[in-house]
mmCIF file with all atom_site columns, all heavy atoms in Angstrom:
data_model
loop_
_atom_site.group_PDB
_atom_site.id
_atom_site.type_symbol
_atom_site.label_atom_id
_atom_site.label_alt_id
_atom_site.label_comp_id
_atom_site.label_asym_id
_atom_site.label_entity_id
_atom_site.label_seq_id
_atom_site.pdbx_PDB_ins_code
_atom_site.Cartn_x
_atom_site.Cartn_y
_atom_site.Cartn_z
_atom_site.occupancy
_atom_site.B_iso_or_equiv
_atom_site.pdbx_formal_charge
_atom_site.auth_seq_id
_atom_site.auth_comp_id
_atom_site.auth_asym_id
_atom_site.auth_atom_id
_atom_site.pdbx_PDB_model_num
ATOM 1  N N   . ARG A 1 46  ? 3.167   -58.639 79.067 1.00 88.00 ? 46  ARG A N   1
ATOM 2  C CA  . ARG A 1 46  ? 2.660   -59.378 77.936 1.00 88.00 ? 46  ARG A CA  1
ATOM 3  C C   . ARG A 1 46  ? 2.030   -60.689 78.378 1.00 88.00 ? 46  ARG A C   1
ATOM 4  O O   . ARG A 1 46  ? 1.005   -61.121 77.800 1.00 88.00 ? 46  ARG A O   1
ATOM 5  C CB  . ARG A 1 46  ? 3.771   -59.583 76.905 1.00 88.00 ? 46  ARG A CB  1
ATOM 6  C CG  . ARG A 1 46  ? 3.419   -60.468 75.688 1.00 88.00 ? 46  ARG A CG  1
ATOM 7  C CD  . ARG A 1 46  ? 2.184   -59.998 74.947 1.00 88.00 ? 46  ARG A CD  1
ATOM 8  N NE  . ARG A 1 46  ? 2.312   -58.647 74.458 1.00 88.00 ? 46  ARG A NE  1
ATOM 9  C CZ  . ARG A 1 46  ? 2.835   -58.306 73.244 1.00 88.00 ? 46  ARG A CZ  1
ATOM 10 N NH1 . ARG A 1 46  ? 3.251   -59.264 72.428 1.00 88.00 ? 46  ARG A NH1 1
ATOM 11 N NH2 . ARG A 1 46  ? 2.906   -57.080 72.855 1.00 88.00 ? 46  ARG A NH2 1
ATOM 12 N N   . VAL A 1 56  ? -9.095  -66.317 79.723 1.00 77.00 ? 56  VAL A N   1
ATOM 13 C CA  . VAL A 1 56  ? -10.377 -65.633 80.083 1.00 77.00 ? 56  VAL A CA  1
ATOM 14 C C   . VAL A 1 56  ? -11.205 -65.455 78.819 1.00 77.00 ? 56  VAL A C   1
ATOM 15 O O   . VAL A 1 56  ? -12.403 -65.798 78.813 1.00 77.00 ? 56  VAL A O   1
ATOM 16 C CB  . VAL A 1 56  ? -10.100 -64.261 80.742 1.00 77.00 ? 56  VAL A CB  1
ATOM 17 C CG1 . VAL A 1 56  ? -11.419 -63.597 81.096 1.00 77.00 ? 56  VAL A CG1 1
ATOM 18 C CG2 . VAL A 1 56  ? -9.278  -64.450 82.002 1.00 77.00 ? 56  VAL A CG2 1
ATOM 19 N N   . LEU A 1 82  ? -4.853  -49.795 67.307 1.00 69.00 ? 82  LEU A N   1
ATOM 20 C CA  . LEU A 1 82  ? -5.770  -50.256 68.330 1.00 69.00 ? 82  LEU A CA  1
ATOM 21 C C   . LEU A 1 82  ? -6.962  -50.948 67.652 1.00 69.00 ? 82  LEU A C   1
ATOM 22 O O   . LEU A 1 82  ? -7.362  -52.035 68.079 1.00 69.00 ? 82  LEU A O   1
ATOM 23 C CB  . LEU A 1 82  ? -6.266  -49.098 69.164 1.00 69.00 ? 82  LEU A CB  1
ATOM 24 C CG  . LEU A 1 82  ? -7.321  -49.354 70.192 1.00 69.00 ? 82  LEU A CG  1
ATOM 25 C CD1 . LEU A 1 82  ? -6.859  -50.399 71.180 1.00 69.00 ? 82  LEU A CD1 1
ATOM 26 C CD2 . LEU A 1 82  ? -7.672  -48.023 70.912 1.00 69.00 ? 82  LEU A CD2 1
ATOM 27 N N   . PRO A 1 100 ? -34.171 -58.764 54.956 1.00 92.00 ? 100 PRO A N   1
ATOM 28 C CA  . PRO A 1 100 ? -34.792 -57.436 55.105 1.00 92.00 ? 100 PRO A CA  1
ATOM 29 C C   . PRO A 1 100 ? -34.462 -56.791 56.455 1.00 92.00 ? 100 PRO A C   1
ATOM 30 O O   . PRO A 1 100 ? -34.292 -55.558 56.560 1.00 92.00 ? 100 PRO A O   1
ATOM 31 C CB  . PRO A 1 100 ? -36.262 -57.661 54.959 1.00 92.00 ? 100 PRO A CB  1
ATOM 32 C CG  . PRO A 1 100 ? -36.373 -58.901 54.134 1.00 92.00 ? 100 PRO A CG  1
ATOM 33 C CD  . PRO A 1 100 ? -35.195 -59.731 54.549 1.00 92.00 ? 100 PRO A CD  1
ATOM 34 N N   . ALA A 1 105 ? -31.694 -52.719 59.500 1.00 95.00 ? 105 ALA A N   1
ATOM 35 C CA  . ALA A 1 105 ? -30.787 -52.426 60.650 1.00 95.00 ? 105 ALA A CA  1
ATOM 36 C C   . ALA A 1 105 ? -29.597 -51.613 60.226 1.00 95.00 ? 105 ALA A C   1
ATOM 37 O O   . ALA A 1 105 ? -29.181 -50.707 60.880 1.00 95.00 ? 105 ALA A O   1
ATOM 38 C CB  . ALA A 1 105 ? -30.375 -53.729 61.293 1.00 95.00 ? 105 ALA A CB  1
ATOM 39 N N   . LEU A 1 113 ? -25.171 -43.069 63.249 1.00 96.00 ? 113 LEU A N   1
ATOM 40 C CA  . LEU A 1 113 ? -23.817 -42.531 63.187 1.00 96.00 ? 113 LEU A CA  1
ATOM 41 C C   . LEU A 1 113 ? -23.837 -41.114 62.611 1.00 96.00 ? 113 LEU A C   1
ATOM 42 O O   . LEU A 1 113 ? -23.070 -40.235 63.028 1.00 96.00 ? 113 LEU A O   1
ATOM 43 C CB  . LEU A 1 113 ? -22.893 -43.445 62.372 1.00 96.00 ? 113 LEU A CB  1
ATOM 44 C CG  . LEU A 1 113 ? -22.717 -44.859 62.943 1.00 96.00 ? 113 LEU A CG  1
ATOM 45 C CD1 . LEU A 1 113 ? -21.789 -45.678 62.037 1.00 96.00 ? 113 LEU A CD1 1
ATOM 46 C CD2 . LEU A 1 113 ? -22.194 -44.848 64.338 1.00 96.00 ? 113 LEU A CD2 1
ATOM 47 N N   . PRO A 1 155 ? -29.398 -42.102 72.703 1.00 96.00 ? 155 PRO A N   1
ATOM 48 C CA  . PRO A 1 155 ? -29.000 -41.884 74.095 1.00 96.00 ? 155 PRO A CA  1
ATOM 49 C C   . PRO A 1 155 ? -28.066 -42.911 74.679 1.00 96.00 ? 155 PRO A C   1
ATOM 50 O O   . PRO A 1 155 ? -27.153 -42.580 75.442 1.00 96.00 ? 155 PRO A O   1
ATOM 51 C CB  . PRO A 1 155 ? -30.358 -41.879 74.850 1.00 96.00 ? 155 PRO A CB  1
ATOM 52 C CG  . PRO A 1 155 ? -31.370 -41.626 73.818 1.00 96.00 ? 155 PRO A CG  1
ATOM 53 C CD  . PRO A 1 155 ? -30.865 -42.243 72.563 1.00 96.00 ? 155 PRO A CD  1
ATOM 54 N N   . ARG A 1 166 ? -13.642 -42.313 79.244 1.00 88.00 ? 166 ARG A N   1
ATOM 55 C CA  . ARG A 1 166 ? -12.994 -42.771 80.419 1.00 88.00 ? 166 ARG A CA  1
ATOM 56 C C   . ARG A 1 166 ? -11.969 -43.881 80.109 1.00 88.00 ? 166 ARG A C   1
ATOM 57 O O   . ARG A 1 166 ? -10.916 -43.943 80.701 1.00 88.00 ? 166 ARG A O   1
ATOM 58 C CB  . ARG A 1 166 ? -14.034 -43.316 81.417 1.00 88.00 ? 166 ARG A CB  1
ATOM 59 C CG  . ARG A 1 166 ? -14.861 -42.200 82.025 1.00 88.00 ? 166 ARG A CG  1
ATOM 60 C CD  . ARG A 1 166 ? -15.743 -42.739 83.177 1.00 88.00 ? 166 ARG A CD  1
ATOM 61 N NE  . ARG A 1 166 ? -16.489 -41.645 83.808 1.00 88.00 ? 166 ARG A NE  1
ATOM 62 C CZ  . ARG A 1 166 ? -15.992 -40.911 84.813 1.00 88.00 ? 166 ARG A CZ  1
ATOM 63 N NH1 . ARG A 1 166 ? -14.782 -41.178 85.283 1.00 88.00 ? 166 ARG A NH1 1
ATOM 64 N NH2 . ARG A 1 166 ? -16.705 -39.930 85.351 1.00 88.00 ? 166 ARG A NH2 1
#
Side-chain angles (χ1 to χ4, degrees):
R46 175 56 59 89
V56 180
L82 176 57
L113 299 180
R166 289 188 176 273

